[in-house]
Amino acid sequence: MSYEVPQLEYGFDALAPSIDAKTMEIHHGKHHAAYVAKLNAAVDGTEWQDQPINELISNLQQLPDSIRAAVRNNGGGHANHSLFWEVMSPNGGGEPTGELLDKINTAFGDFSGFKTSFSEAAATRFGSGWAWLGVQSDHSLYVCSTPNQDNPLMTGVVDCPCIPILGLDVWEHAYYLNYQNRRPDYIDAFFNVINWDKVTHNYNQSIVQSTAEVAS
Ligand code: MN3
């Protein structure tokens, strides 16, 4: 069983004008596909080829030196993009409700404070990388960013201690066709398509997961 690029649950043009169809097509069909192909080339035929992707990237230290960098870059790329497609929706935008909004208010003052904090993390990430909203071990929310295709789950490798529930790709390939050098405009537009139902689902899952880890 090899890793596969997940199907989008919406059309390439569904997120326009926030994210244009050509960018989505190339990003999903070429960039994500390349990470998956290189990940498979690294792990096919090894004992790691069947691990759930988030488990694989959570345990980089256990991998042999010969494939660790390839899994970090391309397994990270696969995990990050798989999350990214799911946390966007043509029906997205607005604000979350319920417990997730309460947690945002506690951590950032209010939703606008969260938006400022997340946007700053995304805008100030030098070069290529990702901005994240995640859940810390005490169940509070946390904003951070990582370089390249690093993911917060790469504990001990990456200084971003949380389980990610929302991620934004700030590599130029994610926005350059439409926004060129205007990364802040792309970040603004992302807020129009955030799928808060999915982020809420991820939040609930992360609480279950971190509670189980503490108990074990
Ligand atoms: Mn990308």
Side-chain angles (χ1 to χ4, degrees):
M1 181 64 197
S2 295
Y3 293 100
E4 290 175 7
V5 178
Q7 279 213 318
L8 284 183
E9 290 179 16
Y10 42 81
F12 291 132
D13 60 352
L15 303 180
S18 298
I19 302 181
D20 64 283
K22 194 72 185 169
T23 295
M24 287 299 297
E25 184 180 352
I26 296 171
H27 199 178
H28 181 266
K30 303 291 185 195
H31 290 279
H32 190 168
Y35 294 120
V36 167
K38 289 176 184 170
L39 172 62
N40 285 332
V43 300
D44 271 355
T46 73
E47 62 188 283
W48 294 283
Q49 66 178 356
D50 294 320
Q51 279 204 349
I53 185 60
N54 285 350
E55 210 171 292
L56 182 69
I57 64 165
S58 297
N59 295 291
L60 290 178
Q61 297 90 329
Q62 297 178 12
L63 298 172
D65 291 345
S66 57
I67 64 169
R68 190 181 302 117
V71 172
R72 179 177 181 171
N73 292 333
N74 299 294
H78 179 40
N80 296 348
H81 288 87
S82 296
L83 175 69
F84 186 49
W85 311 132
E86 289 188 349
V87 296
M88 297 189 290
S89 163
N91 305 313
E95 299 181 10
T97 55
E99 188 180 330
L100 179 57
L101 182 59
D102 291 345
K103 288 291 188 75
I104 284 176
N105 292 340
T106 300
F108 307 103
D110 55 17
F111 185 80
S112 158
F114 158 69
K115 186 175 177 184
T116 300
S117 176
F118 186 87
S119 299
E120 194 173 286
T124 58
R125 165 50 54 193
F126 183 76
S128 299
W130 291 75
W132 305 100
L133 173 66
V135 177
Q136 302 188 97
S137 54
D138 66 357
H139 295 181
S140 63
L141 295 180
Y142 189 64
V143 159
C144 56
S145 77
T146 54
N148 305 316
Q149 294 297 350
D150 284 354
N151 181 292
L153 296 175
M154 296 172 179
T155 315
V157 180
V158 170
D159 182 24
C160 205
C162 62
I163 298 173
I165 62 173
L166 171 70
L168 172 60
D169 190 342
V170 296
W171 283 58
E172 282 190 344
H173 70 226
Y175 63 86
Y176 201 85
L177 285 182
N178 193 38
Y179 293 97
Q180 293 82 47
N181 61 317
R182 293 174 286 116
R183 189 195 285 186
D185 291 352
Y186 160 69
I187 296 166
D188 254 359
F190 175 65
F191 278 83
N192 298 328
V193 295
I194 295 177
N195 180 353
W196 286 110
D197 289 343
K198 181 62 184 175
V199 179
T200 299
H201 172 83
N202 293 344
Y203 168 78
N204 291 330
Q205 289 294 113
S206 74
I207 296 294
V208 170
Q209 188 185 333
S210 65
T211 303
E213 277 167 11
V214 168
S216 66

